[in-house]
Amino acid sequence: MILKDKKILVGITGSIASYKACDLIRHLQKKGAEVKAIMTPSAKQFVGELTIKALTGYEVLSDWKDGETGLEHIYMARWPDSFVIAPASANTLAKLRIGLTDNFLTSVALAYDKPIVIAPAMNTKMLQNPATQENIKILKERGYIFVETKEGILACGEEGVGKLADIEDIETVILYSIEDKPLKDKTVLISAGGTREYFDPIRYISNNSSGQMGYALAKMAYVLGAKKVILISAPTCLRKPYGVEKIDVVSAEDMYKEVMKYLPEVDIIIMNSAVADFKPKTYSKQKLKKAKEKPIVELESNPDILKTIGEKKSKNQVLIGFAAESENILENAIDKLQRKNLDVIVANKLNVFSSREHTGIIIFKNREKIEIPPMDKESSALFILKNVFK
Ligand code: CTP
């Protein structure tokens, strides 16, 4: 679990979106985190303190307690690995900007000595008001990390930006606030998913790659501070990771074109997609009818994208390939590493394709090897990137 052993403090301010903090707390716990929460007096008007206490398993701090030391805001500020304010109201943003400590949450914030994650939620006009915009700008300059709001229909019925970001995106930015930034200044290209090779408008040849590993790698490249992450994705059911630029493709040919277009501007290329090695030789614009004789689909080779990059790449570009093998994993992977001129290959058994878990081995050009212990795909993606880019 990606947040195992992480302590996360969720600060809840008053907003119609306050109830979404309950989902955030559960989500972070499911990812392995220990969560405590603090609420502003106004947040308590929107969501019950008892609900938050029951979810976290801790007393909800919203004030200094009689008979205590009066230093609880300092102790609380030293406790977490990450402090997120979600939802963050316009009022709290204004208080943070001027360093006001008129409640327990803003006092903890002022005493906190690491970057605070802020997920705002408010009416569009309130968000776009120059006062709020200036507060956000200044807080960003001071190192606060913002999770951009979403666009949609707001609780007031108006439409626009200002909706609280999705829980998964807030989680990504929390991770970003915790991890070191070995990919700072790097542009990373990642390919994901199984390509589809159509032979009529609705029928195609493909494979059972879910795309999960590629998407997890894109998310973790952002978390580790990449300047830009380009995810070139074959069709999947997955949502776009936060902070990532996603380009949708269908076939191996489409993927080849997009990868080649971006190749000159990237520092790191990770080919995780399951590219179909073959495509149908012909394509029928009309749906093929049930014929008396079964249709024969003749195949021809697709371009080997990884091999082409290996031939074209400059010596500053790092090229990482994946090898899913059913037998002789190590020998086959090393052979691919050499044949395709890779810097690193990640080898695993074929059964990781549709599985939630990943395990395998990282092999470097100099034959150094690192075992990847079995873990969920997000944890594995983070493990791979942290070990390759130490
Ligand atoms: N790959 C690619 N283009 C292809 C086929 C594969 O870029 N047409 C990339 C994959 O994204 C992966 C690596 O090559 O990073 C290895 O893919 P794999 O299917 O294991 O290897 P193949 O080269 O197809 O070799 P084989 O089928 O003989 O195992």
Side-chain angles (χ1 to χ4, degrees):
M1 285 186 289
I2 198 73
L3 288 171
K4 188 171 174 287
D5 300 330
K6 296 288 185 278
K7 291 183 278 194
I8 298 175
L9 179 60
V10 177
I12 310 167
T13 75
S15 158
I16 301 288
S18 300
Y19 74 93
K20 294 183 183 169
C22 303
D23 279 343
L24 176 65
I25 291 167
R26 290 296 293 135
H27 178 86
L28 297 173
Q29 288 169 331
K30 282 180 193 158
K31 295 266 174 150
E34 182 183 355
V35 182
K36 289 187 182 180
I38 46 182
M39 299 172 84
T40 61
S42 144
K44 288 191 196 171
Q45 303 200 344
F46 289 95
V47 60
E49 193 175 343
L50 190 61
T51 308
I52 303 296
K53 181 180 169 184
L55 287 173
T56 58
Y58 289 105
E59 210 59 60
V60 177
L61 287 175
S62 51
D63 214 338
W64 289 263
K65 292 206 164 31
D66 286 346
E68 295 285 337
T69 58
L71 293 170
E72 291 97 317
H73 60 298
I74 307 294
Y75 302 144
M76 191 52 106
R78 298 295 164 265
W79 178 77
D81 295 298
S82 181
F83 178 19
V84 56
I85 304 180
S89 64
N91 187 34
T92 294
L93 294 184
K95 289 181 186 179
L96 294 175
R97 184 221 171 139
I98 59 171
L100 206 65
T101 56
D102 67 338
N103 64 39
F104 192 77
L105 189 150
T106 50
S107 302
V108 174
L110 201 67
Y112 191 65
D113 57 0
K114 289 177 279 194
I116 298 178
V117 175
I118 303 275
M122 65 194 75
N123 169 272
T124 310
K125 294 284 181 285
M126 290 173 79
L127 181 66
Q128 288 171 341
N129 188 294
T132 308
Q133 286 299 310
E134 198 180 304
N135 292 337
I136 292 174
K137 181 171 170 279
I138 288 177
L139 290 172
K140 280 184 179 171
E141 281 165 14
R142 289 186 197 150
Y144 284 72
I145 310 167
F146 278 75
V147 193
E148 298 303 325
T149 64
K150 283 195 309 179
E151 214 176 315
I153 298 172
L154 304 166
C156 56
E158 292 179 12
E159 203 171 340
V161 287
K163 278 174 86 76
L164 184 73
D166 287 342
I167 302 301
E168 291 82 0
D169 294 343
I170 300 175
E171 176 229 310
T172 301
V173 182
I174 290 172
L175 259 175
Y176 175 93
S177 75
I178 296 172
E179 293 293 337
D180 290 339
K181 301 286 168 280
L183 298 181
K184 189 171 162 279
D185 300 328
K186 303 287 184 210
T187 297
V188 185
L189 184 153
I190 296 162
S191 74
T195 64
R196 287 183 187 175
E197 314 298 327
Y198 279 85
F199 52 92
D200 83 3
I202 51 164
R203 299 189 181 98
Y204 57 84
I205 297 172
S206 191
N207 54 67
N208 64 354
S209 163
S210 65
Q212 281 180 72
M213 191 64 190
Y215 277 59
L217 285 160
K219 170 174 172 173
M220 296 310 160
Y222 166 81
V223 162
L224 296 181
K227 183 173 70 182
K228 186 172 172 185
V229 183
I230 304 161
L231 174 64
I232 300 186
S233 175
T236 71
C237 304
L238 306 170
R239 62 190 294 283
K240 183 180 89 64
Y242 185 81
V244 166
E245 197 180 304
K246 180 168 161 266
I247 292 146
D248 291 312
V249 295
V250 176
S251 66
E253 201 71 54
D254 299 339
M255 185 170 273
Y256 177 85
K257 283 189 198 129
E258 290 298 331
V259 170
M260 290 308 150
K261 189 165 100 193
Y262 285 98
L263 189 60
E265 67 171 90
V266 304
D267 304 292
I268 298 163
I269 306 109
I270 307 176
M271 283 295 296
N272 179 255
S273 49
V275 185
D277 287 324
F278 304 102
K279 64 177 174 196
K281 209 167 178 177
T282 55
Y283 173 78
S284 162
K285 280 191 185 155
Q286 309 306 329
K287 184 185 164 202
L288 292 177
K289 289 291 184 194
K290 242 179 274 158
K292 279 198 186 118
E293 285 173 48
K294 284 183 205 129
I296 294 169
V297 180
E298 204 182 328
L299 301 175
E300 63 183 7
S301 291
N302 260 327
D304 189 323
I305 308 173
L306 189 62
K307 188 159 181 286
T308 315
I309 307 169
E311 286 156 10
K312 287 183 188 287
K313 78 180 179 95
S314 75
K315 67 174 192 317
N316 297 327
Q317 289 179 311
V318 178
L319 182 57
I320 304 176
F322 275 72
E325 305 290 346
S326 52
E327 56 183 348
N328 303 329
I329 298 177
L330 215 53
E331 299 77 36
N332 283 333
I334 291 173
D335 175 57
K336 268 176 208 169
L337 177 103
Q338 279 173 330
R339 263 193 300 118
K340 303 196 187 192
N341 190 27
L342 311 182
D343 298 290
V344 177
I345 194 156
V346 179
N348 40 246
K349 284 196 187 144
L350 263 188
N351 61 5
V352 301
F353 257 48
S354 45
S355 149
R356 279 161 121 56
E357 281 220 331
H358 182 260
T359 176
I361 184 160
I362 306 171
I363 309 165
F364 293 81
K365 198 155 69 175
N366 64 6
R367 303 290 183 274
E368 187 197 332
K369 296 179 195 66
I370 300 174
E371 291 272 356
I372 308 167
M375 53 187 140
D376 63 272
K377 287 188 174 170
E378 286 193 339
S379 304
S380 189
L382 188 62
F383 179 93
I384 292 166
L385 293 179
K386 281 168 108 172
N387 277 285
V388 173
F389 303 99
K390 279 186 248 201

